[in-house]
Amino acid sequence: EVQLAQSGAEVKKSGESLKISCKSSGYSFSNYWIGWVRQMPGKGLEWMGIIYPGDSDTRYSPSFQGQITISVDKSISTAYLQWSNLKASDTAMYYCARHPSGYDRSPFDYWGQGTLVTVSS
Amino acid sequence: EIVLTQSPGTLSLSPGERATLSCRASQSVSSNYLAWYQQKPGQAPRLLIFGASNRATGIPDRFSGTGSGTDFTLTISRLEPEDFAVYYCQQYGSSPPRTFGQGTKVDIK
């Protein structure tokens, strides 16, 4: 069974750094693109970026380029989303989600449960 | 960047009624790479439709997707109580970002 298990809720201050995780199981992690989606409180879904664990090929939305870093650790089937300088506007729920193939032009078929990040000023 | 505009913003219907949700793209969606997701409060989104008209695994046949180019529709033929939720379209045919629409909320009348 495919599962994406995300790390727990975080409360941080502006200017701090943060790395949240998404541990995959039930499939061959290296062979499927995995991405991150932001949902600000009461708002819609925003596509942030994706990564191919096999070779760490990464694609970012221009809206998030330079603000976040997406990475993986293949040895533990885990994807990461990190910030080096959090802002209050980063307060949101963050979802990881998997593409159903090695082709990045595909929808997200499995989703993590979400990680709530709260940043206070 | 392709902008997806969903309408209406909110659809108020009763169980058993038909729901018709629209998603319009600012430019043609390559290969009709358009997906629909359902999101209930406190839950992650769930994939319903991909490739504009293909139901994802385990999705009931009361959900159907149609359309091509710039105009797409999600139809729920007879609303069940569990279908009241927010629905998002997403295009995944263009270079990043693979944008989402702003969502349509289907609530109980």
Side-chain angles (χ1 to χ4, degrees):
Chain A
E1 179 192 4
V2 173
Q3 291 190 335
L4 304 177
Q6 297 187 228
S7 49
E10 300 276 359
V11 179
K12 307 292 279 187
K13 291 187 166 67
S14 292
E16 293 185 332
S17 61
L18 176 64
K19 191 173 189 177
I20 63 174
S21 66
C22 171
K23 183 169 176 60
S24 300
S25 60
Y27 71 99
S28 178
F29 179 70
S30 293
N31 297 335
Y32 294 77
W33 288 83
I34 193 162
W36 290 91
V37 174
R38 183 174 78 174
Q39 187 166 38
M40 299 176 76
K43 302 299 184 184
L45 305 173
E46 298 174 88
W47 190 95
M48 302 176 73
I50 55 174
I51 188 167
Y52 187 70
D55 60 6
S56 292
D57 184 10
T58 309
R59 319 272 170 88
Y60 291 99
S61 165
S63 298
F64 293 94
Q65 179 90 44
Q67 310 303 311
I68 59 166
T69 302
I70 295 172
S71 61
V72 295
D73 183 338
K74 288 190 293 185
S75 69
I76 54 172
S77 299
T78 299
Y80 299 97
L81 174 64
Q82 68 179 90
W83 298 260
S84 59
N85 182 15
L86 283 163
K87 304 176 182 57
S89 57
D90 293 318
T91 294
M93 180 72 80
Y94 293 88
Y95 293 101
C96 64
R98 189 197 79 158
H99 285 282
S101 71
Y103 184 49
D104 68 295
R105 297 195 184 206
S106 53
F108 290 125
D109 64 345
Y110 284 93
W111 294 67
Q113 81 277 19
T115 295
L116 181 62
V117 174
T118 303
V119 184
S120 61
S121 52
Chain B
E1 175 177 326
I2 294 180
V3 176
L4 299 179
T5 302
Q6 292 187 239
S7 60
T10 302
L11 199 50
S12 296
L13 294 168
S14 300
E17 290 194 294
R18 181 185 190 90
T20 303
L21 289 65
S22 172
C23 176
R24 179 162 290 179
S26 60
Q27 54 188 280
S28 185
V29 176
S30 174
S31 302
N32 293 330
Y33 283 164
L34 192 287
W36 290 94
Y37 300 86
Q38 176 193 67
Q39 187 179 34
K40 297 179 182 179
Q43 296 186 17
R46 175 173 72 143
L47 177 65
L48 299 176
I49 301 286
F50 64 94
S53 61
N54 303 286
R55 274 188 299 276
T57 303
I59 301 304
D61 61 7
R62 65 180 180 273
F63 291 92
S64 63
T66 58
S68 64
T70 60
D71 287 295
F72 300 88
T73 300
L74 174 70
T75 301
I76 311 171
S77 59
R78 293 172 310 280
L79 283 163
E80 297 288 341
E82 61 268 27
D83 299 335
F84 292 92
V86 180
Y87 293 84
Y88 295 95
C89 58
Q90 183 207 14
Q91 65 79 22
Y92 51 92
S94 71
S95 297
R98 306 277 162 78
T99 45
F100 290 92
Q102 83 278 18
T104 289
K105 183 178 182 181
V106 179
D107 68 12
I108 299 178
K109 189 173 182 181

